[in-house]
């Protein structure tokens, strides 16, 4: 497989997680998942940035993207895909990738609260990689990918994440560019 095909397949695989992560930000707000409760250290568990609405819409949008990908792949509209699943598997994989991405983001928020990083402040690496690592971990038992694809995703995700944040900032969706 060429490097272009490797990047292409990697992006097709992880797209539901990318969309879930972005959608949680776009559609978020409302009641926080931690309900304002504090951890044993006296700090908020995850903070106001992780909400029920964001989690719901993040997972929903990730599943929708996975279903659309499944339709496109299974209709042979695109070629050179390294994996094929039936539509029900795409739904399940989309759910797992989305849930994993949002769990990774939530874990990142939990860690940021523990080390004193305020909500909305950057935590390089943690912000860019955590959601992808957990998306892969959650989906891997059902839809394993090669180590090469994992490496590609760990390399390109920080750039994709930064670019997405800049676009969201320019569109007024985010208050900060990171």
């Amino acid at each position: 497989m060429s490097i272009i095909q490797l990047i292409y397949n990697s992006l097709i695989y992880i797209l539901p997680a990318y969309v879930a992560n972005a959608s949680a930000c776009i559609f978020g707000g409302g009641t926080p998942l931690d309900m304002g409760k504090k951890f044993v250290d006296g700090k908020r568990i995850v903070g106001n940035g992780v909400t029920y609405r964001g989690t719901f819409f993040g997972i929903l949008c990730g599943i929708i993207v996975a279903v659309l990908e499944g339709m496109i792949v299974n209709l042979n509209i695109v070629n050179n895909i390294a994996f094929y699943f039936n539509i029900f598997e795409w739904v399940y994989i989309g759910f797992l990738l989305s849930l994993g991405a949002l769990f990774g983001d939530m874990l990142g928020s939990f860690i940021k609260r523990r080390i004193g990083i305020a909500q909305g402040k950057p935590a390089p690496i943690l912000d860019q990689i955590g959601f992808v690592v957990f998306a892969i971990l959650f989906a891997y038992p059902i839809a394993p990918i090669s180590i090469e694809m994992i490496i590609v995703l760990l390399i390109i995700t920080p750039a994709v994440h930064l670019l997405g944040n800049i676009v969201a900032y320019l569109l007024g969706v985010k208050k900060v560019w990171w």
Side-chain angles (χ1 to χ4, degrees), residues 67-146:
V67 168
L68 293 174
E69 284 182 322
M71 291 168 47
I72 291 167
V73 168
N74 290 334
L75 290 173
N76 290 323
I77 294 172
V78 295
N79 294 321
N80 299 324
I81 301 298
F83 43 85
Y84 288 91
F85 308 107
N86 68 45
I87 200 68
F88 300 107
E89 291 169 326
W90 278 99
V91 169
Y92 189 45
I93 293 163
F95 171 75
L96 292 172
L97 286 167
S98 301
L99 183 64
L102 297 180
F103 178 82
D105 190 53
M106 182 176 60
L107 182 62
S109 293
F110 176 81
I111 292 168
K112 286 167 74 172
R113 298 303 87 78
R114 304 293 69 76
I115 60 178
I117 298 175
Q119 180 180 321
K121 298 297 180 192
I125 307 300
L126 185 61
D127 289 337
Q128 293 83 15
I129 298 295
F131 79 97
V132 154
V133 168
F134 279 93
I136 293 168
L137 286 173
F138 275 46
Y140 193 87
I142 305 302
I145 57 174
S146 69

